């Protein structure tokens, strides 16, 4: 039966307690078990993570074991390469109703990962046909849609409570106006439901302005309730996914602000980054420190809504609703609708270099510090925007990419632990 993730999150939601979760994966079974054990021992609500290595993400299931045999390290756990029985044994005394475990994988062709996670007794993962194709592969979107169709059907058929967290709210990690993130997450939710899944979550990546983020998260809830009211779902916030501050104080402040944002917006779960994001793959101890920091920052009453937040809510909801409606009107088959939407430019991700993305849209950081459309291309918006005449310069783009890191580092008197790029 399982369904541990949904029931665990629902229980904490009733307690009004934020669930925190690391992005953590290690190549060796012993190291992965030790990391999960330390996370499970924390005295606040946490979800365990098995993050897949980069070889597995591209369908290479041989090289991981060769690298481990050569005494090298991997940047994640090779779930498909390790024997299923060994992974089941690793999880036996950890995975349960008080410690759900989610597989995070990053692959556009996930069928082998889905088969193995079901085989080892898990039922929660994440990604999506758009959100794990455009940022991470050159695979044609139509191929990813077919692969995700088969994978979702397998998860729905082999598990009672199969759960997928759409990664649509984290496309490229930064420089995407909230409405395209909200629309993509909800559209992927519609895709999951069309392929038999009734348990899901929707991601949203912390942006550049808290009021805009709070409004966008409310818009995500409204649109999900309208279109997916018959599904079990919750909202997941990600600590900022772009270039991270290079000082410990700056990174810590950003993590704390993401936890407060999650609390204020009523998010059920937070994916936490660490202070070392800018220069290395985090250790177990760094993940534990970040989880403690986030859990502590999330305590206390939520901030009151503001008129500024309300305005961003209305703006994001109107844009996202228009995008979703235009896509769903293209075809009764949601997979076909998604591929056709990108061909027509009704879905178009700023600064995304995937061949199936039109790249006619741009994003800027406006005078308020919010993410705004620079140009809207062929998006189905009632008020097309053209803040950028011609191409942005490399200096403009560099400044926007570094906007958040610079803001948090400039407030810190500590030296940078990595040099300014």
């Amino acid at each position: 039966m399982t369904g541990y993730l949904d029931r665990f999150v629902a229980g904490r939601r009733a307690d009004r307690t934020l669930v925190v979760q690391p992005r953590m994966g290690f190549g060796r079974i012993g190291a992965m078990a030790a990391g999960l054990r330390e996370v499970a021992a924390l005295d606040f609500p946490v979800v365990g993570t098995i993050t897949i290595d980069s070889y597995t993400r591209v369908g290479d299931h041989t090289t991981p074991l060769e690298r481990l045999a050569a005494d090298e390290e991997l940047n994640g756990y090779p779930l498909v390469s390790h024997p299923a029985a060994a992974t089941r044994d690793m999880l036996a005394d950890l995975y349960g109703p008080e410690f759900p475990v989610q597989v995070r994988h990053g692959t556009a062709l996930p069928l082998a990962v889905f088969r193995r996670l079901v085989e080892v007794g898990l039922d929660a993962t994440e990604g999506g046909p758009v959100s794990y194709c455009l940022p991470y592969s050159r695979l044609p979107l139509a191929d990813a849609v077919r692969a995700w169709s088969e994978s979702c059907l397998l998860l729905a058929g082999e598990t009672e409570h199969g759960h997928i967290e759409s990664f649509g709210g984290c496309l490229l990690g930064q420089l995407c106006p909230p409405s395209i993130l909200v629309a993509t997450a909800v559209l992927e939710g519609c895709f999951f439901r069309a392929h038999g899944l009734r348990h899901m979550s929707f991601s949203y990546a912390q942006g550049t302005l808290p009021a805009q983020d709070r409004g966008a998260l409310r818009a995500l809830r409204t649109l999900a309730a309208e279109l997916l009211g018959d599904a079990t779902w919750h909202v997941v916030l990600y600590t900022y996914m772009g270039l991270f501050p290079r000082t410990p104080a700056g990174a810590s402040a950003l993590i704390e602000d993401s936890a407060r944002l999650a609390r204020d917006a009523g998010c059920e779960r937070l994916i936490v980054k660490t202070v070392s994001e800018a220069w290395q793959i985090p250790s177990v101890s760094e993940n534990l420190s970040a989880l403690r920091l986030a859990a502590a920052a999330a305590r206390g009453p939520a901030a009151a809504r503001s008129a500024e937040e309300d305005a961003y809510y209305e703006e994001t909801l109107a844009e996202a609703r228009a995008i979703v409606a235009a896509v769903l009107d293209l075809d009764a088959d949601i997979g076909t609708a998604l591929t056709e939407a990108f061909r027509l430019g009704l879905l178009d991700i700023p600064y995304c270099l995937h061949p199936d993305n039109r790249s006619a849209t741009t994003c800027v950081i406006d005078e308020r510090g919010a993410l705004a459309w620079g140009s809207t291309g062929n998006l189905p918006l009632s008020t097309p925007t053209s803040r950028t005449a011609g191409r942005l310069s490399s200096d403009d783009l560099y400044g926007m990419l570094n906007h958040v890191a610079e803001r948090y580092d400039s407030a810190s008197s500590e030296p940078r632990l990595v040099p300014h790029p």
Side-chain angles (χ1 to χ4, degrees):
M1 181 175 167
T2 69
Y4 294 146
L5 178 63
D6 289 286
R7 291 200 295 273
F8 182 78
V9 170
R12 304 297 84 71
R13 177 171 52 205
D15 299 337
R16 298 190 178 183
T17 304
L18 178 68
V19 175
V20 293
Q21 180 178 353
R23 302 184 308 148
M24 192 172 72
F26 304 98
R28 301 181 190 282
I29 295 173
M32 190 73 253
L36 288 171
R37 194 170 293 111
E38 291 202 52
V39 172
L42 292 168
D43 60 354
F44 45 83
V46 291
V47 168
T49 303
I50 296 177
T51 299
I52 302 304
D53 68 289
S54 55
Y55 293 110
T56 302
R57 291 176 189 177
V58 296
D60 181 353
H61 305 137
T62 302
T63 303
L65 296 183
E66 294 176 346
R67 299 279 71 80
L68 292 174
D71 205 28
E72 297 178 15
E73 297 298 328
L74 301 177
N75 63 349
Y77 184 79
L79 178 67
V80 180
S81 303
H82 284 313
T87 301
R88 279 197 301 270
D89 289 344
M90 176 187 75
L91 294 169
D93 62 345
L94 288 167
Y95 176 55
E98 293 305 311
F99 187 60
V101 174
Q102 182 190 39
V103 173
R104 308 185 69 86
H105 58 88
T107 178
L109 299 175
L111 186 57
V113 172
F114 277 45
R115 282 178 175 151
R116 183 52 59 88
L117 76 87
V118 168
E119 190 177 0
V120 302
L122 298 174
D123 60 7
T125 186
E126 44 90 53
V130 172
S131 60
Y132 265 9
C133 178
L134 267 65
Y136 296 134
S137 82
R138 286 286 188 254
L139 186 79
L141 179 59
D143 291 355
V145 166
R146 282 191 292 272
W148 275 86
S149 296
E150 187 176 0
S151 301
C152 290
L153 288 170
L154 179 140
L155 186 64
E158 296 294 329
T159 66
E160 185 178 352
H161 295 90
H163 180 113
I164 302 183
E165 170 196 318
S166 167
F167 198 67
C170 300
L171 279 168
L172 303 186
Q174 57 189 336
L175 295 186
C176 281
S179 58
I180 196 71
L181 302 180
V182 169
T184 304
V186 172
L187 285 167
E188 288 195 331
C190 293
F191 181 93
F192 301 151
R193 185 183 61 181
H195 291 86
L197 292 163
R198 290 295 183 270
H199 303 274
M200 60 192 72
S201 46
F202 303 110
S203 65
Y204 180 84
Q206 179 185 16
T208 56
L209 186 68
Q212 183 181 39
D213 288 336
R214 291 194 296 271
L217 285 160
R218 284 171 56 194
L220 174 56
R221 285 190 180 279
T222 297
L223 199 54
E226 289 176 1
L227 294 173
L228 293 155
D230 59 345
T232 298
W233 56 267
H234 65 268
V235 174
V236 186
L237 179 70
Y238 282 62
T239 300
Y240 186 68
M241 294 287 285
L243 296 177
F244 223 64
R246 302 170 190 90
T247 63
S252 296
L254 181 53
I255 294 166
E256 289 177 316
D257 281 351
S258 73
R260 296 184 189 104
L261 170 62
R263 175 199 65 198
D264 294 345
C267 298
E268 288 87 347
R269 189 157 50 100
L270 173 68
I271 307 297
V272 183
K273 296 182 88 171
T274 74
V275 296
S276 64
E277 293 293 329
W279 63 88
Q280 69 181 30
I281 296 174
S283 65
V284 174
S285 62
E286 287 167 334
N287 273 288
L288 296 175
S289 295
L291 292 171
R292 292 188 184 101
L293 185 68
R299 297 187 186 112
R305 291 179 180 176
S306 65
E308 184 183 18
E309 175 189 325
D310 290 342
Y312 282 121
Y313 165 73
E314 297 292 345
E315 176 184 75
T316 302
L317 180 60
E319 290 186 359
R321 188 182 274 147
I323 293 170
V324 169
V327 174
L328 293 180
D329 281 346
L330 289 174
D331 199 280
D333 180 86
I334 181 65
T336 302
L338 287 170
T339 55
E340 184 67 2
F342 276 98
R343 187 186 70 80
L344 297 172
L346 300 180
L347 286 173
D348 193 349
I349 310 304
Y351 312 115
C352 174
L353 301 179
H354 190 280
D356 286 336
N357 190 63
R358 274 203 172 192
S359 300
T361 61
T362 59
C363 174
V364 297
I365 298 174
D366 69 14
E367 65 282 354
R368 300 167 296 178
L371 294 167
W373 291 109
S375 53
T376 51
N378 203 34
L379 295 177
L381 303 181
S382 58
T383 54
T385 300
S386 182
R387 287 187 177 89
T388 51
R391 297 178 66 87
L392 288 165
S393 71
S394 58
D395 285 345
D396 291 334
L397 185 58
Y398 176 82
M400 290 191 296
L401 290 171
N402 278 278
H403 174 82
V404 169
E406 287 296 314
R407 189 172 86 228
Y408 280 87
D409 279 336
S410 65
S412 169
S413 60
E414 296 177 339
R416 301 175 191 269
L417 295 188
V418 289
H420 194 289

Coordinates of all heavy atoms in Angstrom, one line a residue, residues 89-116:
D89 N 17.2 -3.8 1.1 CA 17.8 -4.0 2.4 C 18.2 -2.7 3.0 O 18.0 -2.5 4.3 CB 19.0 -4.9 2.3 CG 18.6 -6.4 2.0 OD1 17.4 -6.7 2.1 OD2 19.5 -7.1 1.5
M90 N 18.7 -1.8 2.2 CA 19.1 -0.5 2.7 C 17.9 0.3 3.3 O 18.1 1.0 4.4 CB 19.8 0.4 1.6 CG 20.1 1.8 2.0 SD 20.7 2.8 0.6 CE 19.2 3.1 -0.2
L91 N 16.8 0.2 2.7 CA 15.6 0.9 3.1 C 14.8 0.3 4.2 O 13.9 0.9 4.8 CB 14.7 1.1 1.9 CG 15.2 2.0 0.7 CD1 14.4 1.9 -0.5 CD2 15.3 3.5 1.2
A92 N 15.1 -1.0 4.4 CA 14.2 -1.8 5.3 C 13.9 -1.2 6.7 O 12.8 -1.2 7.1 CB 14.8 -3.2 5.4
D93 N 15.0 -0.7 7.3 CA 14.8 -0.2 8.7 C 14.7 1.3 8.7 O 14.8 1.9 9.8 CB 15.9 -0.7 9.6 CG 17.3 -0.1 9.1 OD1 17.4 0.3 8.0 OD2 18.2 -0.2 9.9
L94 N 14.5 2.0 7.5 CA 14.4 3.4 7.5 C 13.1 3.9 6.9 O 12.4 4.7 7.5 CB 15.5 4.0 6.6 CG 17.0 3.9 7.1 CD1 18.0 4.2 6.0 CD2 17.1 4.9 8.3
Y95 N 12.7 3.4 5.7 CA 11.5 3.9 5.0 C 10.3 3.4 5.7 O 10.1 2.3 6.1 CB 11.6 3.3 3.6 CG 10.4 3.6 2.7 CD1 10.0 4.9 2.5 CD2 9.7 2.5 2.1 CE1 8.9 5.1 1.6 CE2 8.7 2.8 1.2 CZ 8.3 4.1 1.0 OH 7.2 4.3 0.2
G96 N 9.4 4.4 5.9 CA 8.1 4.0 6.6 C 7.2 5.2 6.7 O 7.5 6.3 6.2
P97 N 6.1 5.1 7.4 CA 5.1 6.2 7.5 C 5.7 7.5 8.2 O 5.2 8.6 8.0 CB 4.0 5.6 8.4 CG 4.6 4.4 9.0 CD 5.6 3.9 8.1
E98 N 6.7 7.3 9.1 CA 7.3 8.5 9.7 C 8.6 9.0 9.0 O 9.2 10.0 9.4 CB 7.6 8.2 11.2 CG 6.4 8.0 12.0 CD 5.4 9.1 11.9 OE1 5.9 10.3 12.1 OE2 4.2 8.9 11.7
F99 N 9.0 8.3 7.9 CA 10.1 8.7 7.1 C 9.9 8.3 5.7 O 10.5 7.3 5.2 CB 11.4 8.1 7.7 CG 12.7 8.7 7.0 CD1 12.9 10.1 7.1 CD2 13.6 7.9 6.3 CE1 14.1 10.6 6.4 CE2 14.7 8.4 5.7 CZ 14.9 9.8 5.7
P100 N 9.1 9.1 4.9 CA 9.0 8.8 3.5 C 10.3 9.1 2.8 O 11.1 9.9 3.2 CB 7.9 9.8 3.1 CG 7.3 10.3 4.3 CD 8.3 10.2 5.4
V101 N 10.5 8.4 1.7 CA 11.7 8.6 0.8 C 11.2 8.8 -0.6 O 10.4 8.1 -1.1 CB 12.6 7.4 0.9 CG1 13.8 7.5 -0.1 CG2 13.1 7.2 2.3
Q102 N 11.8 9.8 -1.2 CA 11.5 10.2 -2.6 C 12.7 10.0 -3.5 O 13.8 10.4 -3.1 CB 11.0 11.6 -2.7 CG 10.6 12.1 -4.1 CD 10.3 13.6 -4.2 OE1 11.1 14.4 -3.6 NE2 9.3 14.0 -5.0
V103 N 12.5 9.5 -4.7 CA 13.6 9.3 -5.7 C 13.6 10.6 -6.6 O 12.5 10.9 -7.2 CB 13.4 8.1 -6.5 CG1 14.4 8.0 -7.7 CG2 13.6 6.8 -5.6
R104 N 14.7 11.2 -6.7 CA 14.8 12.4 -7.5 C 15.9 12.1 -8.6 O 17.0 11.7 -8.2 CB 15.3 13.6 -6.7 CG 14.3 13.9 -5.5 CD 14.7 15.1 -4.7 NE 14.3 16.3 -5.5 CZ 13.1 16.9 -5.5 NH1 12.1 16.3 -4.8 NH2 12.9 17.9 -6.2
H105 N 15.5 12.3 -9.9 CA 16.4 11.6 -10.9 C 16.8 12.5 -12.0 O 17.9 12.2 -12.6 CB 15.6 10.4 -11.4 CG 14.3 10.7 -12.0 ND1 14.1 11.0 -13.4 CD2 13.1 10.6 -11.5 CE1 12.8 11.2 -13.6 NE2 12.2 11.0 -12.5
G106 N 16.1 13.4 -12.5 CA 16.6 14.3 -13.6 C 16.7 13.7 -15.0 O 17.5 14.2 -15.8
T107 N 15.9 12.7 -15.3 CA 16.1 12.1 -16.6 C 14.8 12.3 -17.5 O 13.7 12.2 -17.0 CB 16.4 10.6 -16.5 OG1 16.5 10.1 -17.8 CG2 15.4 9.8 -15.7
A108 N 15.1 12.6 -18.8 CA 13.9 12.7 -19.7 C 13.3 11.4 -20.1 O 12.2 11.3 -20.6 CB 14.4 13.5 -20.9
L109 N 14.1 10.3 -19.9 CA 13.6 8.9 -20.2 C 13.6 8.1 -18.9 O 14.6 7.4 -18.7 CB 14.6 8.3 -21.3 CG 14.6 9.0 -22.6 CD1 15.7 8.3 -23.5 CD2 13.3 9.0 -23.3
P110 N 12.6 8.2 -18.1 CA 12.6 7.7 -16.8 C 12.2 6.3 -16.6 O 12.1 5.8 -15.4 CB 11.7 8.6 -16.0 CG 10.6 9.0 -17.0 CD 11.3 9.0 -18.4
L111 N 11.9 5.5 -17.6 CA 11.2 4.2 -17.4 C 12.0 3.3 -16.6 O 11.5 2.6 -15.7 CB 10.9 3.6 -18.8 CG 10.1 2.3 -18.7 CD1 8.7 2.5 -18.0 CD2 9.8 1.7 -20.1
A112 N 13.4 3.2 -16.8 CA 14.2 2.3 -16.1 C 14.2 2.7 -14.6 O 14.2 1.8 -13.7 CB 15.6 2.3 -16.6
V113 N 14.3 4.0 -14.3 CA 14.2 4.4 -12.9 C 12.9 4.1 -12.3 O 12.9 3.6 -11.1 CB 14.5 6.0 -12.9 CG1 14.3 6.5 -11.5 CG2 15.9 6.3 -13.4
F114 N 11.8 4.3 -13.0 CA 10.5 4.0 -12.4 C 10.3 2.5 -12.1 O 9.8 2.2 -11.1 CB 9.4 4.5 -13.4 CG 9.0 5.9 -13.3 CD1 10.0 6.9 -13.2 CD2 7.7 6.3 -13.3 CE1 9.7 8.3 -13.2 CE2 7.4 7.7 -13.2 CZ 8.4 8.6 -13.2
R115 N 10.8 1.7 -13.1 CA 10.7 0.3 -12.8 C 11.5 -0.1 -11.6 O 11.0 -0.9 -10.8 CB 11.3 -0.5 -14.1 CG 10.3 -0.6 -15.2 CD 11.0 -1.3 -16.4 NE 10.1 -1.4 -17.5 CZ 10.4 -1.5 -18.8 NH1 11.7 -1.4 -19.1 NH2 9.5 -1.7 -19.7
R116 N 12.7 0.4 -11.4 CA 13.5 0.0 -10.3 C 12.9 0.6 -9.0 O 13.0 -0.1 -7.9 CB 14.9 0.5 -10.5 CG 15.9 0.0 -9.3 CD 15.8 -1.5 -9.0 NE 16.1 -2.3 -10.1 CZ 17.4 -2.7 -10.5 NH1 18.4 -2.4 -9.8 NH2 17.5 -3.5 -11.5

